[in-house]
Amino acid sequence: MRTTQRRSPAQARGDLWKGWAAPSVRSAFTAAFAVVVVLVGLRLTARGDSHAVSWLALPPLAASAFLPWRWVAGVGAASMAAAFGFLWTLRDFSISAVSQHGVDFLVVAVAVVIAAAVAVVRERDDERMRRLTQLASVVQQAILRPIGERLGPFDIAARYVSARSGAEIGGDLYEALDTEYGVRIVIGDVRGKGLDAVRLSSTVLGSFRHVAFERPDQRCMIDDLDHAVARNGGDEDFVTAILLQERGGTLEILNCGHPPPMLVRDGVATYLEPESMAPPLGLSPSAQELTVRLQPGDRILLYTDGLAEARRDGEFFPIRERAWSLIGHGNTGDGLASLETALRRWVGGPLTDDIALLLLDYRPEAD
């Protein structure tokens, strides 16, 4: 049976006003109220300008951009009180003179109502966006499952960098599994955006999580993933992808139209590129395997084209030149955090595409 827990009136009131605890809200309320005081003070020095009362419509309108509607109403009440006090003082406490400026009071009152309504709509939109962001986070965790800090002989970290505010998932994908055939990893990027890309990404990951434990040969895995994309995608859909497998210190790489991994060894970064690039999944790839013998301390960076194509004024982010300084030190999580920070500073604005990142640190002695 489902039960509902009722909150006490005190708890309800606490939830109602808990926004005041935020420093940004307190600062905003203080600034808006200060505007009222400053406007009144300035206009009181010009005693002949009684129509300056209409200026007091500005503080509640400004407050509606960042304050809860109840605080907006409070700012509006302060504006109304200031307007009355201003005219009362200006006209030597003559009620009849104050009543002559009803239009000025009406302007302030209408502004207060409009500001409160705007704040209500904004709060509803903010709440809707918050819930959507939470939902996106849940979906992301369901599709891109968390990867542990240690997998086989690797220290490993994963990071998903969204290009859109409030949206945390897209068509970029990754997974790492420890199987009887060795550590197996996939990273990929679905063509296109939106829900169709997320759906196809989920399909590829689901297929990989199954065949990684069933197929001893990575080439067979490529065939299975290609068929999954062809069955579930549209005529023009495809997925660029890289499959990696580590066994006994040997890294086997199959690249299907994806930006090549980067190996960072002894301060030098090199791309692990095959002699010929295979088509993406969904386009019947026949990938050529690249084999690399790993050394302790090697770091392998896997990424999607959001990183490879990030640019500023037409210049691409110099990931290869800065790889050692960004990801060659500290643990893998710190390396990816440093990489993202450097990328955002270099771009100097919003990213144009989502980025999936995996950083592997080969530490067989830790097993």
Side-chain angles (χ1 to χ4, degrees):
M1 179 182 297
R2 183 178 179 179
T3 61
T4 302
Q5 184 177 5
R6 299 183 63 182
R7 296 180 301 170
S8 67
Q11 289 175 322
R13 287 193 299 271
D15 290 342
L16 189 64
W17 297 102
K18 65 182 179 180
W20 178 249
S24 60
V25 174
R26 292 198 303 269
S27 300
F29 182 82
T30 303
F33 188 77
V35 170
V36 177
V37 175
V38 171
L39 284 175
V40 173
L42 289 176
R43 283 305 173 179
L44 279 175
T45 61
R47 296 178 62 86
D49 188 5
S50 61
H51 293 288
V53 169
S54 59
W55 284 34
L56 292 169
L58 296 178
L61 291 174
S64 67
F66 42 78
L67 283 177
W69 73 266
R70 293 173 180 83
W71 296 108
V72 172
V75 173
S79 293
M80 295 290 292
F84 182 82
F86 178 38
L87 290 176
W88 181 271
T89 303
L90 183 65
R91 293 305 180 184
D92 299 324
F93 307 97
S94 171
I95 296 180
S96 61
V98 173
S99 64
Q100 295 175 5
H101 297 278
V103 174
D104 296 312
F105 280 109
L106 181 61
V107 169
V108 178
V110 170
V112 172
V113 173
I114 293 175
V118 169
V120 169
V121 173
R122 177 184 53 77
E123 286 186 81
R124 288 178 179 175
D125 289 343
D126 289 346
E127 178 64 17
R128 186 180 299 112
M129 180 58 68
R130 185 187 66 81
R131 291 180 179 179
L132 288 175
T133 301
Q134 288 180 339
L135 178 60
S137 180
V138 171
V139 173
Q140 182 187 40
Q141 293 179 14
I143 296 177
L144 298 178
R145 299 185 304 198
I147 295 176
E149 297 180 357
R150 183 72 183 174
L151 189 69
F154 294 110
D155 291 339
I156 185 169
R159 201 173 187 91
Y160 193 99
V161 182
S162 177
R164 294 168 296 280
S165 175
E168 300 185 14
I169 57 174
D172 294 22
L173 60 97
Y174 57 78
E175 182 61 287
L177 302 170
D178 193 0
T179 74
E180 63 177 301
Y181 308 110
V183 173
R184 286 180 160 177
I185 299 171
V186 65
I187 188 168
D189 190 358
V190 177
R191 175 189 177 275
K193 308 289 184 183
L195 292 178
D196 289 339
V198 174
R199 188 180 300 112
L200 191 53
S201 171
S202 177
T203 297
V204 173
L205 287 173
S207 298
F208 175 79
R209 288 163 182 158
H210 173 71
V211 300
F213 292 95
E214 301 294 330
R215 299 291 193 181
D217 190 339
Q218 278 201 119
R219 293 183 181 85
C220 295
M221 293 172 58
I222 289 290
D223 292 338
D224 292 334
L225 296 178
D226 177 64
H227 294 156
V229 173
R231 285 193 303 267
N232 295 277
D235 293 337
E236 298 181 357
D237 289 333
F238 59 82
V239 181
T240 67
I242 289 178
L243 269 67
L244 293 90
Q245 176 176 275
E246 186 279 332
R247 289 188 294 187
T250 298
L251 189 65
E252 301 165 353
I253 306 170
L254 293 176
N255 192 328
C256 299
H258 197 81
M262 179 180 294
L263 171 65
V264 180
R265 174 185 291 172
D266 298 329
V268 179
T270 56
Y271 290 112
L272 302 178
E273 300 181 271
E275 293 183 2
S276 60
M277 186 75 71
L281 301 175
L283 301 178
S284 302
S286 179
Q288 180 179 358
E289 190 172 74
L290 176 65
T291 302
V292 178
R293 187 66 185 174
L294 295 174
Q295 299 178 10
D298 283 352
R299 293 201 168 186
I300 300 99
L301 176 65
L302 304 169
Y303 53 93
T304 53
D305 59 8
L307 177 64
E309 298 177 0
R311 66 189 73 187
R312 178 184 63 189
D313 299 329
E315 181 182 358
F316 291 101
F317 179 65
I319 175 59
R320 183 173 182 177
E321 292 77 5
R322 301 183 62 180
W324 177 251
S325 63
L326 294 175
I327 63 174
H329 307 279
N331 61 44
T332 53
D334 293 339
L336 291 187
S338 298
L339 176 58
E340 180 185 351
T341 299
L343 175 65
R344 290 188 181 276
R345 288 178 178 174
W346 189 87
V347 172
L351 300 174
T352 59
D353 196 4
D354 292 356
I355 304 173
L357 299 170
L358 282 173
L359 182 59
L360 315 174
D361 186 3
Y362 184 61
R363 301 282 180 182
E365 68 278 3
D367 286 347

